[in-house]
Amino acid sequence: MSRRTGRSALVWPLLAALLAVLGTACSGSDKSALPDCPDSALTCPASGSSAPPGSDPPTTPGETTASPSATSSTTARPTATAGGTSSTSGKPSSRAACTSPGACGFPDARTTGPRIPLKPHKTGYLAVRTDGTVIRGWDITGSLDIYANDVTVIDTKITSDSWWGVNLRAGYHGLRVLHSTITAVPGKGPDNGGVDYAVSNMGGSSVEVGWCDVSVFGDALSMGQGIIHDNYVHDIVPFVNQGGEWQHTNAVISGGGNTGQLIIRHNTLLNPTSLKQGASGSIGLFADTGVVRNVTVDGNWIAGGAYALYGGDTGATDIKVTNNVFSTQYHPASGGYGVVAHWNAGGAGNEWRNNRMSDGRPITPEPSS
């Protein structure tokens, strides 16, 4: 963010003033001056401006309840709305080819995750039951099960030892997971050593996940409705589940039957799982529990899976896939078998526009059979 100054007598006073302004606006982390702290995001945290919530939660077996933290200007609502705003235009680079996500303006480890120092919290399983709870600045070993409204998890790291990192229960709303790292220890999860969901939405309301670094989980971001933006999903770890089969893996998965809108905008979504170890999609829109409808997939970097995108099947409507880059980093066709499967070209409101391979080739999907 610093600039070269002119050769004049004012150079040092001007430079000192500029550095003072920048330090006040975005201090507390060497990442705070990067694109993970855009104007449209939460206010950049000032050093020491907010402490983690009170005291460590109980670690006794069974459910425990987190208490809400003291609110401050750094935990205000983000400006992302149902329209799915993000820090960029959502369109891929105008260059003919892209060499990597970061080089072409897509999220990576540099632009995601916590922006402030963290305090260790060995929570184990933690049930959050207080509306408006804010969890900020925690380095959690455990998982969060949300039975409350308007909960925010921000500038936090979660290393899960459960089925999920963060889970929203049915009947609750307003969950936001922002500027956080969500991961697990391979081989230590409950599903025969595997772990399933980094963020899971079990209800019918929208969940926002933004500027997060997500890894390991088999179906990393699982929801029928929500706003998924500016995230880096990578290094999914395949595993044989309790049924004795390779667990299917997806960076984003939706099972259909949704009543709200799902927006997937300006993410890096990588599924390096091999075809022999359960690879499904980077984005899997499946009609498992009902018709797939009202999904926007815009301005993402997508790579890997059996097919990079599963498009919802023959009954899908209002599926808009626009301005995405499908990378060849794992397979020549982005996915092992191709770019997209089950695309309903004739569905009402469905749109496929301005999508290309990372080497510049335009993409025309084959219709679903």
Side-chain angles (χ1 to χ4, degrees):
M1 291 175 67
S2 61
R3 299 176 182 270
R4 293 183 182 272
T5 56
R7 300 177 184 175
S8 69
L10 297 177
V11 58
W12 295 112
L14 288 173
L15 180 58
L18 178 59
L19 291 174
V21 170
L22 294 178
T24 300
C26 267
S27 62
S29 170
D30 61 355
K31 294 166 62 174
S32 59
L34 296 171
D36 62 340
C37 196
D39 292 339
S40 61
L42 297 170
T43 304
C44 300
S47 179
S49 63
S50 176
S55 59
D56 289 353
T59 57
T60 54
E63 294 185 352
T64 56
T65 303
S67 58
S69 69
T71 57
S72 71
S73 62
T74 62
T75 54
R77 283 181 179 270
T79 57
T81 65
T85 59
S86 78
S87 58
T88 73
S89 65
K91 295 183 179 181
S93 169
S94 60
R95 289 179 290 175
C98 276
T99 57
S100 69
C104 296
F106 293 92
D108 59 14
R110 190 179 63 97
T111 61
T112 56
R115 302 163 296 177
I116 60 175
L118 306 180
K119 179 181 178 181
H121 287 71
K122 294 184 179 181
T123 66
Y125 170 84
L126 177 62
V128 179
R129 299 185 180 276
T130 303
D131 289 352
T133 295
V134 176
I135 294 175
R136 181 175 182 270
W138 290 22
D139 185 348
I140 293 172
T141 302
S143 62
L144 302 177
D145 201 3
I146 312 300
Y147 291 85
N149 299 318
D150 301 318
V151 172
T152 298
V153 179
I154 182 169
D155 289 318
T156 287
K157 180 179 179 180
I158 298 172
T159 304
S160 176
D161 55 3
S162 185
W163 298 96
W164 55 72
V166 184
N167 178 54
L168 179 67
R169 291 287 177 167
Y172 299 94
H173 63 264
L175 174 65
R176 301 183 300 278
V177 184
L178 308 170
H179 295 289
S180 295
T181 294
I182 309 172
T183 189
V185 179
K188 299 296 184 180
D191 194 357
N192 199 30
V195 285
D196 291 275
Y197 312 111
V199 180
S200 169
N201 181 4
M202 297 178 69
S205 67
S206 181
V207 169
E208 181 182 7
V209 183
W211 302 287
C212 289
D213 185 320
V214 179
S215 61
V216 180
F217 293 88
D219 286 324
L221 303 178
S222 174
M223 61 190 69
Q225 45 273 314
I227 306 169
I228 299 171
H229 65 91
D230 299 283
N231 301 290
Y232 175 45
V233 182
H234 60 103
D235 292 313
I236 290 172
V237 176
F239 62 93
V240 176
N241 60 27
Q242 290 181 354
E245 301 175 337
W246 284 105
Q247 179 71 24
H248 288 174
T249 60
N250 299 271
V252 175
I253 186 170
S254 177
N258 57 303
T259 57
Q261 187 175 24
L262 176 61
I263 296 170
I264 306 167
R265 174 165 289 145
H266 196 245
N267 304 277
T268 297
L269 303 173
L270 309 179
N271 186 353
T273 308
S274 74
L275 298 176
K276 295 180 179 180
Q277 293 180 304
S280 185
S282 286
I283 299 177
L285 307 179
F286 301 113
D288 292 338
T289 58
V291 173
V292 179
R293 59 172 71 89
N294 300 327
V295 180
T296 296
V297 180
D298 179 63
N300 301 281
W301 176 282
I302 303 169
Y307 288 90
L309 170 66
Y310 285 81
D313 220 333
T314 53
T317 59
D318 291 309
I319 313 298
K320 295 177 173 31
V321 182
T322 57
N323 306 312
N324 298 286
V325 175
F326 288 85
S327 170
T328 61
Q329 66 191 92
Y330 302 126
H331 308 285
S334 192
Y337 299 128
V339 171
V340 57
H342 305 301
W343 172 250
N344 183 17
N350 291 352
E351 179 183 2
W352 182 281
R353 176 173 50 82
N354 194 32
N355 301 297
R356 62 179 174 84
M357 302 295 292
S358 56
D359 59 13
R361 290 175 288 156
I363 303 166
T364 302
E366 296 181 2
S368 60
S369 57

